Amino acid sequence: MTALAAGLVSTAAVAQEDWPQRTINVIIGASPGGDTDFNARTMARYFEEVTGVGMVITNMPGGGATIATSAVRQAEPDGYTMLFGHTGHLIVAEVSGLADYGIADFEICCVPAIDQGAVLVASAESGLTSVKDLQAAEPGSVTFGTEFGGYSHLQGLIFQQGAGVEMNVVDTGSAAEKIASLLGGRIDVAGIAYGAVQDYVEGGQMVVLGQPNDEPNPLLGDIPTFVEQDVDFVMNNPYIIAFPDGTDQAIVDKMGEVMKQIAEMPEYAEDLEEGFKQPVAFLPKEEAVERLNAIRDTYMPYRDALQAAR
């Protein structure tokens, strides 16, 4: 038994020392060009700089990211297939019933970043300039664009409850489609990354209503939090690096160590700031799992509402 134990320790050490030896397939449940894609590609660039091994980003949008997460679940647990997602992909999909699995069915590595650049934005055409305007509107007269069963759908439900408003929630689609619908006057309000709409805000075509952070993200300038506007609405979106269940823990740990090293690079912080007004954040495995389980517990009360919309 002693010899067996020693052999297992030796095998784990070898796995950690040897990994990675070839290109890693990073699967994301989002289209190119969005915040998830940006974070994954930025991470991959610095991963190659640190390890000398490349990553290929495979975009698998659709199905509330279940196409992507299913592909990772079914992959060989050899450390060369990895999921880069966020709570919408691994928690909201479970809560909404899009998936019959969740974070417990993967080897969670770490939280490599936390999206603190999200805002709720209104089209200039809607006439809304503040949360108070929204609260004063007739119930159901304001249209909120979302993707049914996804993160932004839950975002809308939690905001409505916190702000005491009732909006007409419609299925608009992806971030790019929300922007097009806002500009075209087909929806009035949407939750979206500020970096994706900043030009439209500065051009007067959109108005930011607030940021759903507990403390102001300084990279967003003077945009107030909803808490500062007396609205109980705090909703951050941690990104998640995960491997198929059964992946050698030494590999998972090694990836966590590399990501921690990347998070400490000043140039990486600059890229996140320029891309999506996102400050650097990193949570190692234990803290990541604790944070993700707490978020899951917060979202579960909305299960029936999300599933009813499907």
mmCIF file of all heavy atoms in Angstrom, residues 259-307:
data_model
loop_
_atom_site.group_PDB
_atom_site.id
_atom_site.type_symbol
_atom_site.label_atom_id
_atom_site.label_comp_id
_atom_site.label_asym_id
_atom_site.label_seq_id
_atom_site.Cartn_x
_atom_site.Cartn_y
_atom_site.Cartn_z
ATOM 1 N N MET A 259 -2.566 30.802 -14.044
ATOM 2 C CA MET A 259 -3.523 31.910 -14.111
ATOM 3 C C MET A 259 -3.215 32.960 -13.050
ATOM 4 O O MET A 259 -3.348 34.163 -13.298
ATOM 5 C CB MET A 259 -4.945 31.371 -13.949
ATOM 6 C CG MET A 259 -6.022 32.389 -14.296
ATOM 7 S SD MET A 259 -5.967 32.923 -16.028
ATOM 8 C CE MET A 259 -5.905 34.720 -15.826
ATOM 9 N N LYS A 260 -2.792 32.530 -11.886
ATOM 10 C CA LYS A 260 -2.416 33.473 -10.829
ATOM 11 C C LYS A 260 -1.240 34.334 -11.288
ATOM 12 O O LYS A 260 -1.201 35.546 -11.059
ATOM 13 C CB LYS A 260 -2.060 32.730 -9.547
ATOM 14 C CG LYS A 260 -1.698 33.627 -8.356
ATOM 15 C CD LYS A 260 -1.434 32.790 -7.104
ATOM 16 C CE LYS A 260 -1.181 33.689 -5.894
ATOM 17 N NZ LYS A 260 0.022 34.514 -6.039
ATOM 18 N N GLN A 261 -0.282 33.681 -11.949
ATOM 19 C CA GLN A 261 0.887 34.399 -12.459
ATOM 20 C C GLN A 261 0.470 35.432 -13.508
ATOM 21 O O GLN A 261 0.966 36.563 -13.521
ATOM 22 C CB GLN A 261 1.881 33.401 -13.049
ATOM 23 C CG GLN A 261 3.197 34.018 -13.505
ATOM 24 C CD GLN A 261 4.196 32.961 -13.971
ATOM 25 O OE1 GLN A 261 4.044 31.772 -13.698
ATOM 26 N NE2 GLN A 261 5.209 33.398 -14.692
ATOM 27 N N ILE A 262 -0.454 35.037 -14.380
ATOM 28 C CA ILE A 262 -0.950 35.951 -15.413
ATOM 29 C C ILE A 262 -1.639 37.156 -14.770
ATOM 30 O O ILE A 262 -1.445 38.304 -15.183
ATOM 31 C CB ILE A 262 -1.928 35.218 -16.355
ATOM 32 C CG1 ILE A 262 -1.172 34.174 -17.188
ATOM 33 C CG2 ILE A 262 -2.652 36.204 -17.269
ATOM 34 C CD1 ILE A 262 -2.073 33.259 -18.007
ATOM 35 N N ALA A 263 -2.450 36.882 -13.733
ATOM 36 C CA ALA A 263 -3.207 37.950 -13.073
ATOM 37 C C ALA A 263 -2.308 38.990 -12.413
ATOM 38 O O ALA A 263 -2.750 40.110 -12.138
ATOM 39 C CB ALA A 263 -4.160 37.348 -12.044
ATOM 40 N N GLU A 264 -1.063 38.622 -12.162
ATOM 41 C CA GLU A 264 -0.125 39.547 -11.514
ATOM 42 C C GLU A 264 0.673 40.381 -12.513
ATOM 43 O O GLU A 264 1.474 41.224 -12.122
ATOM 44 C CB GLU A 264 0.829 38.744 -10.612
ATOM 45 C CG GLU A 264 0.120 38.099 -9.419
ATOM 46 C CD GLU A 264 0.997 37.119 -8.665
ATOM 47 O OE1 GLU A 264 2.090 36.793 -9.193
ATOM 48 O OE2 GLU A 264 0.607 36.672 -7.578
ATOM 49 N N MET A 265 0.439 40.160 -13.812
ATOM 50 C CA MET A 265 1.166 40.908 -14.839
ATOM 51 C C MET A 265 0.494 42.260 -15.100
ATOM 52 O O MET A 265 -0.688 42.312 -15.442
ATOM 53 C CB MET A 265 1.196 40.107 -16.153
ATOM 54 C CG MET A 265 1.976 38.817 -16.083
ATOM 55 S SD MET A 265 1.923 37.959 -17.688
ATOM 56 C CE MET A 265 3.120 36.658 -17.411
ATOM 57 N N PRO A 266 1.223 43.365 -14.979
ATOM 58 C CA PRO A 266 0.640 44.698 -15.215
ATOM 59 C C PRO A 266 0.052 44.848 -16.626
ATOM 60 O O PRO A 266 -0.983 45.493 -16.805
ATOM 61 C CB PRO A 266 1.825 45.648 -15.001
ATOM 62 C CG PRO A 266 2.780 44.891 -14.133
ATOM 63 C CD PRO A 266 2.631 43.454 -14.535
ATOM 64 N N GLU A 267 0.723 44.263 -17.613
ATOM 65 C CA GLU A 267 0.240 44.403 -18.984
ATOM 66 C C GLU A 267 -1.093 43.676 -19.197
ATOM 67 O O GLU A 267 -1.917 44.095 -20.022
ATOM 68 C CB GLU A 267 1.282 43.905 -19.992
ATOM 69 C CG GLU A 267 1.761 42.482 -19.778
ATOM 70 C CD GLU A 267 2.977 42.366 -18.879
ATOM 71 O OE1 GLU A 267 3.073 43.120 -17.893
ATOM 72 O OE2 GLU A 267 3.830 41.502 -19.173
ATOM 73 N N TYR A 268 -1.306 42.588 -18.451
ATOM 74 C CA TYR A 268 -2.588 41.883 -18.510
ATOM 75 C C TYR A 268 -3.691 42.786 -17.961
ATOM 76 O O TYR A 268 -4.782 42.886 -18.539
ATOM 77 C CB TYR A 268 -2.490 40.583 -17.706
ATOM 78 C CG TYR A 268 -3.779 39.809 -17.558
ATOM 79 C CD1 TYR A 268 -4.340 39.136 -18.638
ATOM 80 C CD2 TYR A 268 -4.423 39.721 -16.331
ATOM 81 C CE1 TYR A 268 -5.521 38.410 -18.496
ATOM 82 C CE2 TYR A 268 -5.597 39.000 -16.170
ATOM 83 C CZ TYR A 268 -6.143 38.347 -17.260
ATOM 84 O OH TYR A 268 -7.317 37.632 -17.105
ATOM 85 N N ALA A 269 -3.409 43.464 -16.846
ATOM 86 C CA ALA A 269 -4.375 44.393 -16.253
ATOM 87 C C ALA A 269 -4.723 45.506 -17.237
ATOM 88 O O ALA A 269 -5.895 45.906 -17.358
ATOM 89 C CB ALA A 269 -3.829 44.971 -14.958
ATOM 90 N N GLU A 270 -3.721 45.993 -17.951
ATOM 91 C CA GLU A 270 -3.954 47.055 -18.924
ATOM 92 C C GLU A 270 -4.858 46.573 -20.053
ATOM 93 O O GLU A 270 -5.747 47.311 -20.510
ATOM 94 C CB GLU A 270 -2.623 47.535 -19.495
ATOM 95 C CG GLU A 270 -1.752 48.275 -18.478
ATOM 96 C CD GLU A 270 -0.364 48.580 -19.011
ATOM 97 O OE1 GLU A 270 -0.133 48.317 -20.218
ATOM 98 O OE2 GLU A 270 0.474 49.077 -18.239
ATOM 99 N N ASP A 271 -4.661 45.335 -20.496
ATOM 100 C CA ASP A 271 -5.494 44.791 -21.574
ATOM 101 C C ASP A 271 -6.949 44.664 -21.137
ATOM 102 O O ASP A 271 -7.872 44.976 -21.907
ATOM 103 C CB ASP A 271 -4.968 43.418 -22.008
ATOM 104 C CG ASP A 271 -3.700 43.521 -22.847
ATOM 105 O OD1 ASP A 271 -3.389 44.640 -23.295
ATOM 106 O OD2 ASP A 271 -3.031 42.486 -23.035
ATOM 107 N N LEU A 272 -7.175 44.206 -19.907
ATOM 108 C CA LEU A 272 -8.545 44.076 -19.412
ATOM 109 C C LEU A 272 -9.223 45.432 -19.291
ATOM 110 O O LEU A 272 -10.411 45.583 -19.601
ATOM 111 C CB LEU A 272 -8.562 43.360 -18.056
ATOM 112 C CG LEU A 272 -8.113 41.899 -18.011
ATOM 113 C CD1 LEU A 272 -8.410 41.301 -16.633
ATOM 114 C CD2 LEU A 272 -8.783 41.063 -19.089
ATOM 115 N N GLU A 273 -8.465 46.416 -18.843
ATOM 116 C CA GLU A 273 -9.020 47.764 -18.688
ATOM 117 C C GLU A 273 -9.399 48.344 -20.045
ATOM 118 O O GLU A 273 -10.487 48.904 -20.215
ATOM 119 C CB GLU A 273 -8.004 48.672 -18.000
ATOM 120 C CG GLU A 273 -8.481 50.111 -17.860
ATOM 121 C CD GLU A 273 -7.493 51.001 -17.135
ATOM 122 O OE1 GLU A 273 -6.550 50.458 -16.520
ATOM 123 O OE2 GLU A 273 -7.666 52.233 -17.190
ATOM 124 N N GLU A 274 -8.514 48.201 -21.016
ATOM 125 C CA GLU A 274 -8.778 48.758 -22.337
ATOM 126 C C GLU A 274 -9.900 48.023 -23.054
ATOM 127 O O GLU A 274 -10.683 48.630 -23.790
ATOM 128 C CB GLU A 274 -7.506 48.706 -23.189
ATOM 129 C CG GLU A 274 -6.414 49.654 -22.715
ATOM 130 C CD GLU A 274 -5.136 49.528 -23.523
ATOM 131 O OE1 GLU A 274 -5.171 48.822 -24.555
ATOM 132 O OE2 GLU A 274 -4.120 50.128 -23.127
ATOM 133 N N GLY A 275 -9.994 46.721 -22.823
ATOM 134 C CA GLY A 275 -10.983 45.934 -23.543
ATOM 135 C C GLY A 275 -12.398 46.116 -23.057
ATOM 136 O O GLY A 275 -13.297 46.493 -23.821
ATOM 137 N N PHE A 276 -12.637 45.842 -21.762
ATOM 138 C CA PHE A 276 -14.012 45.890 -21.254
ATOM 139 C C PHE A 276 -14.125 46.566 -19.891
ATOM 140 O O PHE A 276 -15.003 46.217 -19.105
ATOM 141 C CB PHE A 276 -14.601 44.465 -21.200
ATOM 142 C CG PHE A 276 -15.116 43.978 -22.529
ATOM 143 C CD1 PHE A 276 -14.278 43.352 -23.426
ATOM 144 C CD2 PHE A 276 -16.436 44.181 -22.906
ATOM 145 C CE1 PHE A 276 -14.738 42.910 -24.661
ATOM 146 C CE2 PHE A 276 -16.913 43.755 -24.137
ATOM 147 C CZ PHE A 276 -16.063 43.112 -25.014
ATOM 148 N N LYS A 277 -13.217 47.521 -19.603
ATOM 149 C CA LYS A 277 -13.286 48.271 -18.337
ATOM 150 C C LYS A 277 -13.352 47.325 -17.144
ATOM 151 O O LYS A 277 -14.130 47.513 -16.217
ATOM 152 C CB LYS A 277 -14.497 49.199 -18.329
ATOM 153 C CG LYS A 277 -14.547 50.174 -19.486
ATOM 154 C CD LYS A 277 -13.362 51.118 -19.473
ATOM 155 C CE LYS A 277 -13.422 52.126 -20.601
ATOM 156 N NZ LYS A 277 -12.244 53.004 -20.648
ATOM 157 N N GLN A 278 -12.525 46.329 -17.184
ATOM 158 C CA GLN A 278 -12.583 45.249 -16.195
ATOM 159 C C GLN A 278 -11.331 45.217 -15.330
ATOM 160 O O GLN A 278 -10.233 45.028 -15.840
ATOM 161 C CB GLN A 278 -12.726 43.914 -16.934
ATOM 162 C CG GLN A 278 -12.895 42.701 -16.057
ATOM 163 C CD GLN A 278 -13.066 41.467 -16.901
ATOM 164 O OE1 GLN A 278 -13.990 41.375 -17.693
ATOM 165 N NE2 GLN A 278 -12.171 40.524 -16.757
ATOM 166 N N PRO A 279 -11.472 45.421 -14.016
ATOM 167 C CA PRO A 279 -10.301 45.309 -13.147
ATOM 168 C C PRO A 279 -9.875 43.848 -12.988
ATOM 169 O O PRO A 279 -10.679 42.935 -13.170
ATOM 170 C CB PRO A 279 -10.784 45.881 -11.815
ATOM 171 C CG PRO A 279 -12.266 45.696 -11.837
ATOM 172 C CD PRO A 279 -12.683 45.796 -13.276
ATOM 173 N N VAL A 280 -8.622 43.630 -12.655
ATOM 174 C CA VAL A 280 -8.108 42.278 -12.470
ATOM 175 C C VAL A 280 -8.702 41.663 -11.204
ATOM 176 O O VAL A 280 -8.853 42.324 -10.178
ATOM 177 C CB VAL A 280 -6.574 42.280 -12.368
ATOM 178 C CG1 VAL A 280 -6.052 40.904 -11.976
ATOM 179 C CG2 VAL A 280 -5.958 42.703 -13.687
ATOM 180 N N ALA A 281 -9.056 40.398 -11.284
ATOM 181 C CA ALA A 281 -9.533 39.652 -10.119
ATOM 182 C C ALA A 281 -9.146 38.189 -10.310
ATOM 183 O O ALA A 281 -9.166 37.677 -11.429
ATOM 184 C CB ALA A 281 -11.044 39.779 -9.965
ATOM 185 N N PHE A 282 -8.785 37.532 -9.234
ATOM 186 C CA PHE A 282 -8.424 36.117 -9.310
ATOM 187 C C PHE A 282 -8.807 35.435 -8.009
ATOM 188 O O PHE A 282 -8.498 35.927 -6.926
ATOM 189 C CB PHE A 282 -6.918 35.936 -9.552
ATOM 190 C CG PHE A 282 -6.463 34.502 -9.463
ATOM 191 C CD1 PHE A 282 -6.673 33.631 -10.518
ATOM 192 C CD2 PHE A 282 -5.863 34.016 -8.298
ATOM 193 C CE1 PHE A 282 -6.274 32.300 -10.435
ATOM 194 C CE2 PHE A 282 -5.462 32.699 -8.214
ATOM 195 C CZ PHE A 282 -5.668 31.830 -9.274
ATOM 196 N N LEU A 283 -9.503 34.292 -8.118
ATOM 197 C CA LEU A 283 -9.847 33.480 -6.951
ATOM 198 C C LEU A 283 -9.336 32.067 -7.179
ATOM 199 O O LEU A 283 -9.701 31.429 -8.165
ATOM 200 C CB LEU A 283 -11.368 33.432 -6.738
ATOM 201 C CG LEU A 283 -12.088 34.754 -6.436
ATOM 202 C CD1 LEU A 283 -13.584 34.510 -6.293
ATOM 203 C CD2 LEU A 283 -11.526 35.414 -5.196
ATOM 204 N N PRO A 284 -8.461 31.542 -6.298
ATOM 205 C CA PRO A 284 -8.008 30.154 -6.430
ATOM 206 C C PRO A 284 -9.163 29.187 -6.193
ATOM 207 O O PRO A 284 -10.266 29.587 -5.783
ATOM 208 C CB PRO A 284 -6.939 30.038 -5.344
ATOM 209 C CG PRO A 284 -7.289 31.086 -4.348
ATOM 210 C CD PRO A 284 -7.892 32.211 -5.123
ATOM 211 N N LYS A 285 -8.895 27.913 -6.418
ATOM 212 C CA LYS A 285 -9.962 26.914 -6.471
ATOM 213 C C LYS A 285 -10.928 26.960 -5.292
ATOM 214 O O LYS A 285 -12.146 27.049 -5.483
ATOM 215 C CB LYS A 285 -9.352 25.514 -6.580
ATOM 216 C CG LYS A 285 -10.432 24.423 -6.615
ATOM 217 C CD LYS A 285 -9.877 23.050 -6.870
ATOM 218 C CE LYS A 285 -11.022 22.033 -6.895
ATOM 219 N NZ LYS A 285 -10.555 20.693 -7.277
ATOM 220 N N GLU A 286 -10.440 26.877 -4.062
ATOM 221 C CA GLU A 286 -11.341 26.794 -2.913
ATOM 222 C C GLU A 286 -12.206 28.033 -2.795
ATOM 223 O O GLU A 286 -13.417 27.935 -2.557
ATOM 224 C CB GLU A 286 -10.536 26.561 -1.628
ATOM 225 C CG GLU A 286 -9.920 25.173 -1.534
ATOM 226 C CD GLU A 286 -9.274 24.917 -0.184
ATOM 227 O OE1 GLU A 286 -9.414 25.779 0.720
ATOM 228 O OE2 GLU A 286 -8.627 23.871 -0.027
ATOM 229 N N GLU A 287 -11.608 29.200 -2.953
ATOM 230 C CA GLU A 287 -12.384 30.438 -2.889
ATOM 231 C C GLU A 287 -13.351 30.527 -4.056
ATOM 232 O O GLU A 287 -14.480 31.022 -3.911
ATOM 233 C CB GLU A 287 -11.444 31.643 -2.896
ATOM 234 C CG GLU A 287 -10.611 31.787 -1.638
ATOM 235 C CD GLU A 287 -9.695 32.995 -1.718
ATOM 236 O OE1 GLU A 287 -10.149 34.047 -2.218
ATOM 237 O OE2 GLU A 287 -8.528 32.888 -1.294
ATOM 238 N N ALA A 288 -12.928 30.055 -5.219
ATOM 239 C CA ALA A 288 -13.787 30.085 -6.401
ATOM 240 C C ALA A 288 -15.024 29.226 -6.196
ATOM 241 O O ALA A 288 -16.156 29.659 -6.456
ATOM 242 C CB ALA A 288 -13.008 29.607 -7.622
ATOM 243 N N VAL A 289 -14.830 28.000 -5.712
ATOM 244 C CA VAL A 289 -15.961 27.090 -5.490
ATOM 245 C C VAL A 289 -16.906 27.660 -4.448
ATOM 246 O O VAL A 289 -18.141 27.601 -4.601
ATOM 247 C CB VAL A 289 -15.452 25.693 -5.074
ATOM 248 C CG1 VAL A 289 -16.619 24.810 -4.640
ATOM 249 C CG2 VAL A 289 -14.689 25.031 -6.234
ATOM 250 N N GLU A 290 -16.359 28.244 -3.389
ATOM 251 C CA GLU A 290 -17.195 28.847 -2.347
ATOM 252 C C GLU A 290 -18.028 29.995 -2.917
ATOM 253 O O GLU A 290 -19.227 30.102 -2.652
ATOM 254 C CB GLU A 290 -16.315 29.352 -1.202
ATOM 255 C CG GLU A 290 -17.094 29.956 -0.044
ATOM 256 C CD GLU A 290 -16.191 30.417 1.095
ATOM 257 O OE1 GLU A 290 -14.970 30.166 1.035
ATOM 258 O OE2 GLU A 290 -16.713 31.035 2.039
ATOM 259 N N ARG A 291 -17.386 30.836 -3.710
ATOM 260 C CA ARG A 291 -18.093 31.979 -4.320
ATOM 261 C C ARG A 291 -19.168 31.501 -5.286
ATOM 262 O O ARG A 291 -20.307 32.009 -5.295
ATOM 263 C CB ARG A 291 -17.079 32.863 -5.046
ATOM 264 C CG ARG A 291 -17.663 34.035 -5.838
ATOM 265 C CD ARG A 291 -18.089 35.156 -4.926
ATOM 266 N NE ARG A 291 -18.456 36.342 -5.689
ATOM 267 C CZ ARG A 291 -17.616 37.330 -6.003
ATOM 268 N NH1 ARG A 291 -16.362 37.285 -5.583
ATOM 269 N NH2 ARG A 291 -18.040 38.383 -6.684
ATOM 270 N N LEU A 292 -18.866 30.505 -6.081
ATOM 271 C CA LEU A 292 -19.818 30.009 -7.077
ATOM 272 C C LEU A 292 -21.017 29.328 -6.416
ATOM 273 O O LEU A 292 -22.164 29.480 -6.866
ATOM 274 C CB LEU A 292 -19.114 29.045 -8.041
ATOM 275 C CG LEU A 292 -18.018 29.676 -8.911
ATOM 276 C CD1 LEU A 292 -17.314 28.612 -9.732
ATOM 277 C CD2 LEU A 292 -18.585 30.770 -9.812
ATOM 278 N N ASN A 293 -20.782 28.585 -5.348
ATOM 279 C CA ASN A 293 -21.893 27.954 -4.638
ATOM 280 C C ASN A 293 -22.799 28.989 -3.980
ATOM 281 O O ASN A 293 -24.027 28.819 -3.939
ATOM 282 C CB ASN A 293 -21.361 26.968 -3.593
ATOM 283 C CG ASN A 293 -20.975 25.627 -4.198
ATOM 284 O OD1 ASN A 293 -21.630 25.134 -5.113
ATOM 285 N ND2 ASN A 293 -19.897 25.032 -3.711
ATOM 286 N N ALA A 294 -22.200 30.071 -3.482
ATOM 287 C CA ALA A 294 -23.001 31.143 -2.880
ATOM 288 C C ALA A 294 -23.886 31.806 -3.943
ATOM 289 O O ALA A 294 -25.053 32.124 -3.690
ATOM 290 C CB ALA A 294 -22.094 32.171 -2.220
ATOM 291 N N ILE A 295 -23.332 32.004 -5.135
ATOM 292 C CA ILE A 295 -24.103 32.585 -6.233
ATOM 293 C C ILE A 295 -25.239 31.649 -6.634
ATOM 294 O O ILE A 295 -26.369 32.085 -6.866
ATOM 295 C CB ILE A 295 -23.176 32.880 -7.428
ATOM 296 C CG1 ILE A 295 -22.246 34.040 -7.090
ATOM 297 C CG2 ILE A 295 -23.982 33.182 -8.686
ATOM 298 C CD1 ILE A 295 -21.179 34.308 -8.127
ATOM 299 N N ARG A 296 -24.943 30.368 -6.694
ATOM 300 C CA ARG A 296 -25.977 29.381 -7.041
ATOM 301 C C ARG A 296 -27.136 29.443 -6.046
ATOM 302 O O ARG A 296 -28.310 29.409 -6.431
ATOM 303 C CB ARG A 296 -25.374 27.979 -7.065
ATOM 304 C CG ARG A 296 -26.336 26.883 -7.495
ATOM 305 C CD ARG A 296 -25.630 25.529 -7.515
ATOM 306 N NE ARG A 296 -26.523 24.469 -7.963
ATOM 307 C CZ ARG A 296 -27.368 23.812 -7.169
ATOM 308 N NH1 ARG A 296 -27.431 24.125 -5.874
ATOM 309 N NH2 ARG A 296 -28.147 22.864 -7.651
ATOM 310 N N ASP A 297 -26.810 29.559 -4.765
ATOM 311 C CA ASP A 297 -27.850 29.645 -3.744
ATOM 312 C C ASP A 297 -28.695 30.908 -3.915
ATOM 313 O O ASP A 297 -29.909 30.898 -3.668
ATOM 314 C CB ASP A 297 -27.226 29.639 -2.343
ATOM 315 C CG ASP A 297 -26.610 28.293 -1.973
ATOM 316 O OD1 ASP A 297 -26.945 27.290 -2.625
ATOM 317 O OD2 ASP A 297 -25.789 28.260 -1.039
ATOM 318 N N THR A 298 -28.067 31.992 -4.341
ATOM 319 C CA THR A 298 -28.784 33.247 -4.554
ATOM 320 C C THR A 298 -29.720 33.162 -5.750
ATOM 321 O O THR A 298 -30.821 33.741 -5.739
ATOM 322 C CB THR A 298 -27.777 34.398 -4.778
ATOM 323 O OG1 THR A 298 -26.943 34.515 -3.627
ATOM 324 C CG2 THR A 298 -28.486 35.722 -5.019
ATOM 325 N N TYR A 299 -29.305 32.439 -6.786
ATOM 326 C CA TYR A 299 -30.089 32.367 -8.016
ATOM 327 C C TYR A 299 -31.230 31.346 -7.966
ATOM 328 O O TYR A 299 -32.218 31.478 -8.705
ATOM 329 C CB TYR A 299 -29.179 32.019 -9.197
ATOM 330 C CG TYR A 299 -28.193 33.096 -9.576
ATOM 331 C CD1 TYR A 299 -27.214 32.864 -10.556
ATOM 332 C CD2 TYR A 299 -28.207 34.355 -8.966
ATOM 333 C CE1 TYR A 299 -26.305 33.851 -10.902
ATOM 334 C CE2 TYR A 299 -27.292 35.329 -9.315
ATOM 335 C CZ TYR A 299 -26.344 35.073 -10.272
ATOM 336 O OH TYR A 299 -25.436 36.046 -10.623
ATOM 337 N N MET A 300 -31.111 30.339 -7.136
ATOM 338 C CA MET A 300 -32.095 29.260 -7.112
ATOM 339 C C MET A 300 -33.548 29.717 -6.884
ATOM 340 O O MET A 300 -34.471 29.136 -7.456
ATOM 341 C CB MET A 300 -31.706 28.203 -6.084
ATOM 342 C CG MET A 300 -30.844 27.080 -6.638
ATOM 343 S SD MET A 300 -31.686 26.192 -7.983
ATOM 344 C CE MET A 300 -30.350 25.147 -8.572
ATOM 345 N N PRO A 301 -33.801 30.741 -6.059
ATOM 346 C CA PRO A 301 -35.188 31.182 -5.884
ATOM 347 C C PRO A 301 -35.861 31.658 -7.172
ATOM 348 O O PRO A 301 -37.095 31.761 -7.224
ATOM 349 C CB PRO A 301 -35.062 32.330 -4.871
ATOM 350 C CG PRO A 301 -33.838 32.009 -4.088
ATOM 351 C CD PRO A 301 -32.893 31.405 -5.101
ATOM 352 N N TYR A 302 -35.082 31.936 -8.214
ATOM 353 C CA TYR A 302 -35.642 32.405 -9.479
ATOM 354 C C TYR A 302 -35.847 31.259 -10.472
ATOM 355 O O TYR A 302 -36.160 31.492 -11.639
ATOM 356 C CB TYR A 302 -34.728 33.471 -10.093
ATOM 357 C CG TYR A 302 -34.618 34.713 -9.245
ATOM 358 C CD1 TYR A 302 -33.615 34.838 -8.275
ATOM 359 C CD2 TYR A 302 -35.526 35.764 -9.381
ATOM 360 C CE1 TYR A 302 -33.522 35.972 -7.474
ATOM 361 C CE2 TYR A 302 -35.434 36.897 -8.589
ATOM 362 C CZ TYR A 302 -34.433 36.991 -7.636
ATOM 363 O OH TYR A 302 -34.345 38.114 -6.845
ATOM 364 N N ARG A 303 -35.659 30.052 -9.998
ATOM 365 C CA ARG A 303 -35.731 28.875 -10.871
ATOM 366 C C ARG A 303 -37.057 28.788 -11.628
ATOM 367 O O ARG A 303 -37.088 28.628 -12.849
ATOM 368 C CB ARG A 303 -35.515 27.612 -10.030
ATOM 369 C CG ARG A 303 -35.459 26.332 -10.854
ATOM 370 C CD ARG A 303 -35.318 25.110 -9.950
ATOM 371 N NE ARG A 303 -35.140 23.891 -10.720
ATOM 372 C CZ ARG A 303 -33.971 23.321 -10.959
ATOM 373 N NH1 ARG A 303 -32.859 23.864 -10.485
ATOM 374 N NH2 ARG A 303 -33.872 22.231 -11.675
ATOM 375 N N ASP A 304 -38.173 28.899 -10.919
ATOM 376 C CA ASP A 304 -39.491 28.761 -11.557
ATOM 377 C C ASP A 304 -39.723 29.844 -12.591
ATOM 378 O O ASP A 304 -40.262 29.572 -13.680
ATOM 379 C CB ASP A 304 -40.595 28.787 -10.502
ATOM 380 C CG ASP A 304 -40.586 27.546 -9.620
ATOM 381 O OD1 ASP A 304 -39.944 26.545 -10.012
ATOM 382 O OD2 ASP A 304 -41.204 27.582 -8.536
ATOM 383 N N ALA A 305 -39.324 31.083 -12.279
ATOM 384 C CA ALA A 305 -39.540 32.190 -13.220
ATOM 385 C C ALA A 305 -38.732 31.996 -14.488
ATOM 386 O O ALA A 305 -39.219 32.257 -15.595
ATOM 387 C CB ALA A 305 -39.179 33.516 -12.545
ATOM 388 N N LEU A 306 -37.487 31.539 -14.354
ATOM 389 C CA LEU A 306 -36.652 31.301 -15.527
ATOM 390 C C LEU A 306 -37.191 30.155 -16.377
ATOM 391 O O LEU A 306 -37.249 30.230 -17.599
ATOM 392 C CB LEU A 306 -35.217 31.003 -15.102
ATOM 393 C CG LEU A 306 -34.343 32.181 -14.670
ATOM 394 C CD1 LEU A 306 -32.993 31.676 -14.182
ATOM 395 C CD2 LEU A 306 -34.157 33.167 -15.790
ATOM 396 N N GLN A 307 -37.607 29.107 -15.701
ATOM 397 C CA GLN A 307 -38.091 27.938 -16.444
ATOM 398 C C GLN A 307 -39.433 28.210 -17.112
ATOM 399 O O GLN A 307 -39.719 27.658 -18.165
ATOM 400 C CB GLN A 307 -38.169 26.738 -15.509
ATOM 401 C CG GLN A 307 -36.811 26.273 -15.006
ATOM 402 C CD GLN A 307 -36.818 24.899 -14.358
ATOM 403 O OE1 GLN A 307 -37.816 24.195 -14.399
ATOM 404 N NE2 GLN A 307 -35.717 24.523 -13.764
#
